[in-house]
Amino acid sequence: MFRALADVLRRIGGAVATVVTLPFRAPARLFGGASASARGGRA
């Protein structure tokens, strides 16, 4: 029973972590790509 409860908590934690990090990942990709292309254009 404890194993099932731990598994449920782990899944919930994973989902929460995904939802929390998503807003930060999108701008990082945008700015990362923009800075990379800017660097490539200047050099």
Side-chain angles (χ1 to χ4, degrees), residues 27-43:
R29 263 189 214 161
L30 287 172
F31 291 123
S35 64
S37 63
R39 261 185 269 135
R42 283 186 201 149

Side-chain angles (χ1 to χ4, degrees), residues 4-17:
L5 185 64
D7 190 41
V8 168
L9 288 174
R10 203 174 297 127
R11 284 185 188 175
I12 292 171
V16 169

